[in-house]
Amino acid sequence: MEDIEKTRGQWSSNLGFILAAAGSAVGLGNIWKFPYLTGQNGGAAFVLVYLIAIFLIGVPIMLGEMSIGRNAQLNAIGAYRKLSKEKGKNWTWLGVMGVVAGFIILSYYSVIGGWVTNYMVQYLTGGIEGQPSKYFEGFISQNYMPIWWHFIFMGLTVLIVIRGVSGGIEKSSKIMLPALFILLIIIMVRSLTLPNASLGVDYYIKPDFSKITPEVIIAALGQVFFSLSLGMGCMITYGSYLSKQQNLQRSAILVPSMDTLVALLAGFVILPAVFSFGLKPGQGPGLIFVTLPQVFLEMPFGAVFGTLFFILIFFAAITSSISLLEVIASYFIDQFKWSRRKAVISMAFFMFLLGIPCSLSFGCMGNYKVFDKTFFDCLDYLASNIMLPLGGFFMCLFISEIWGLAAANQEISNNGSIPFKSKKMFDFMIKWVSPMAVFIILVDPFAQYIAEKILHYYYL
Ligand code: PHE
């Protein structure tokens, strides 16, 4: 414990915390994943379900995690252990599950982070060569280059996390977030004025309700957790660096709002361009890497905007990967008394290894599929669509059954000194709405699957 206390900084201000939490939330999830999931899941229908889930599930769980962290002043695992032991229970496992989820996520996150790093370096040194979609296909299907960039991205994350969290993240988020907003708006204007852009806009804002299937709902739910960095203890760990005077309620509204705004803007950048260039919206993880360079080709000063944009996505990705590695490392520091250096380097090494088959699944391993999914897709599905929502579900149970809603309310209102106007609503959400929504969404397809198997068995 000593060890963490020593390295345990505090955010220099409430703004610092909000920026760091937003830095964790805003990342590849918003700019890379949100547009391609929207394209794969029927456009506006997905966006609509996503927005509802942010409000019903994302915001209450964000506030819950932050309050657990600040109360316990410990990393995710330590916090669950401490607060449950006070009640004679042991819920350490819930924190452990979060660490495992974080481990899986960072292994493939760093692969995409590597793609972004490569694009950034290419743009800095004169832009990508040839036609954007050919360049992309050629790049990701290679064996070595993407793994090399994955190594570099992971290495940079390691260098920052070894130095401890607060200073660097706060400073970089302070510049990165406003710059990202401005640049997204500029590029959005270009996308929206491309020929036939309105087809993309319609696809993005006019929901076709018949497209809302269980798969779309699960994808949206998983994306809420992934994009807000919830369900794995990240906001617990970040909340633990907060001082007791600061206002949790404001943070739990501001962070999801900023995150959602960036995701929505990214959709307005990507989808009109996809339709204008006649690309397929459902093509998956490559969507932004093919579309954006093409938009930059069509823009005055496109090379400059392209360079700036990939620098910003790179920063957004790094501030998120830092938060993932921090949660994992702080567990080993706390539990096994490892030094920060040892914890960070050894875990990053294993995640680098797990990332290798993820990277290869865009090339030579592309044909190995389980449940019709590549290795990359399997890890992503397991972590963001199953483990994070489960983490959130149990966090709700933890607050309502173990720690107690009264204790959470005390923490959120700073022991009564800040009025908690939405207290009743928060209690109702955490006790009923959020866990039930997650439960139904998770269990329903599983039940459908079993039912199909049984029917199949008896009738065929
Ligand atoms: N929220 C991050 C993003 O949108 C990813 C992330 C997930 C970070 C889970 C931490 C925990 O890119």
Side-chain angles (χ1 to χ4, degrees):
M1 215 61 79
E2 266 300 308
D3 212 341
I4 338 177
E5 291 307 331
K6 262 190 251 146
T7 46
R8 169 168 292 272
Q10 276 212 341
W11 311 111
S12 57
S13 62
N14 201 24
L15 181 68
F17 166 72
I18 290 176
L19 285 171
S24 164
V26 174
L28 295 174
N30 309 59
I31 298 162
W32 159 73
K33 204 172 178 193
F34 181 77
Y36 95 71
L37 284 179
T38 306
Q40 277 179 335
N41 290 287
F46 172 84
V47 179
L48 183 71
V49 179
Y50 178 77
L51 292 176
I52 296 174
I54 287 273
F55 181 71
L56 287 185
I57 302 174
V59 173
I61 292 186
M62 172 80 70
L63 189 52
E65 284 203 10
M66 287 175 175
S67 64
I68 292 175
R70 191 178 62 174
N71 184 279
Q73 297 279 311
L74 286 170
N75 67 79
I77 296 185
Y80 280 123
R81 186 192 302 122
K82 176 174 169 208
L83 299 185
S84 63
K85 288 233 158 116
E86 283 172 4
K87 307 279 174 175
K89 301 262 177 8
N90 187 352
W91 276 50
T92 315
W93 57 269
L94 184 47
V96 176
M97 189 170 88
V99 170
V100 176
F103 188 95
I104 297 177
I105 293 177
L106 188 50
S107 338
Y108 67 83
Y109 201 83
S110 167
V111 172
I112 310 296
W115 295 1
V116 168
T117 317
N118 171 41
Y119 270 67
M120 175 177 79
V121 171
Q122 297 302 326
Y123 268 94
L124 281 170
T125 54
I128 61 169
E129 273 164 37
Q131 219 231 329
S133 65
K134 293 233 170 59
Y135 175 82
F136 178 72
E137 290 301 320
F139 169 64
I140 58 163
S141 55
Q142 289 168 35
N143 287 341
Y144 300 112
M145 283 317 273
I147 294 178
W148 166 241
W149 289 107
H150 158 50
F151 178 80
I152 296 199
F153 185 84
M154 190 70 93
L156 291 170
T157 308
V158 164
L159 286 181
I160 300 174
V161 176
I162 284 185
R163 289 159 178 242
V165 164
S166 55
I169 302 190
E170 261 187 72
K171 284 207 196 76
S172 54
S173 301
K174 241 176 223 162
I175 308 168
M176 191 267 300
L177 280 169
L180 188 65
F181 275 123
I182 296 172
L183 212 60
L184 276 170
I185 291 173
I186 296 175
I187 304 169
M188 179 178 78
V189 172
R190 172 69 274 213
S191 280
L192 290 174
T193 50
L194 287 167
N196 291 327
S198 62
L199 293 177
V201 175
D202 284 351
Y203 179 79
Y204 190 49
I205 62 174
K206 291 201 180 137
D208 169 357
F209 293 99
S210 69
K211 295 251 167 71
I212 304 182
T213 60
E215 290 85 64
V216 168
I217 299 180
I218 294 184
L221 179 77
Q223 176 63 5
V224 165
F225 280 92
F226 186 87
S227 192
L228 294 181
S229 309
L230 295 177
M232 51 137 329
C234 192
M235 291 299 161
I236 296 182
T237 308
Y238 274 21
S240 74
Y241 299 112
L242 262 176
S243 82
K244 292 282 181 194
Q245 289 82 40
Q246 291 165 1
N247 187 335
L248 292 180
Q249 296 167 52
R250 199 171 40 199
S251 312
I253 294 288
L254 271 173
V255 174
S257 310
M258 287 195 254
D259 188 78
T260 308
L261 194 61
V262 173
L264 292 176
L265 281 176
F268 273 117
V269 169
I270 307 294
L271 290 159
V274 167
F275 280 79
S276 174
F277 301 135
L279 302 166
K280 287 198 200 71
Q283 64 178 262
L287 196 64
I288 69 159
F289 295 93
V290 176
T291 317
L292 279 175
Q294 198 133 341
V295 176
F296 296 133
L297 283 179
E298 306 282 327
M299 254 176 117
F301 307 110
V304 178
F305 284 120
T307 312
L308 283 175
F309 196 60
F310 278 104
I311 294 177
L312 287 176
I313 307 185
F314 171 78
F315 274 107
I318 276 272
T319 49
S320 302
S321 63
I322 291 169
S323 70
L324 285 158
L325 186 52
E326 176 66 21
V327 172
I328 302 163
S330 60
Y331 169 59
F332 287 87
I333 297 170
D334 169 19
Q335 180 74 21
F336 303 109
K337 307 278 174 278
W338 287 8
S339 68
R340 175 167 274 271
R341 176 178 282 272
K342 175 175 167 192
V344 168
I345 294 181
S346 56
M347 284 305 115
F349 175 71
F350 288 116
M351 286 185 283
F352 168 69
L353 292 184
L354 187 60
I356 292 176
C358 294
S359 176
L360 295 177
S361 56
F362 295 96
C364 63
M365 275 178 58
N367 291 329
Y368 295 105
K369 291 194 174 167
V370 185
F371 289 118
D372 208 27
K373 286 183 163 48
T374 61
F375 189 77
F376 178 95
D377 290 333
C378 282
L379 287 197
D380 182 29
Y381 193 88
L382 176 68
S384 27
N385 292 9
I386 299 178
M387 295 180 79
L388 297 185
L390 268 186
F393 171 79
F394 284 113
M395 188 222 69
C396 293
L397 285 194
F398 176 80
I399 291 187
S400 58
E401 303 304 319
I402 309 285
W403 189 36
L405 283 163
N409 290 330
Q410 275 294 88
E411 187 62 43
I412 294 169
S413 64
N414 296 4
N415 294 323
S417 62
I418 300 178
F420 184 18
K421 294 208 193 82
S422 330
K423 174 172 157 335
K424 284 219 173 73
M425 170 131 111
F426 171 80
D427 290 358
F428 185 65
M429 295 284 196
I430 289 285
K431 199 167 163 84
W432 302 108
V433 181
S434 317
M436 283 205 340
V438 174
F439 184 77
I440 294 169
I441 294 168
L442 280 178
V443 165
D444 181 60
F446 185 66
Q448 279 188 13
Y449 177 77
I450 302 280
E452 266 169 34
K453 284 279 167 223
I454 294 175
L455 285 178
H456 194 74
Y457 187 75
Y458 281 109
Y459 293 106
L460 286 176

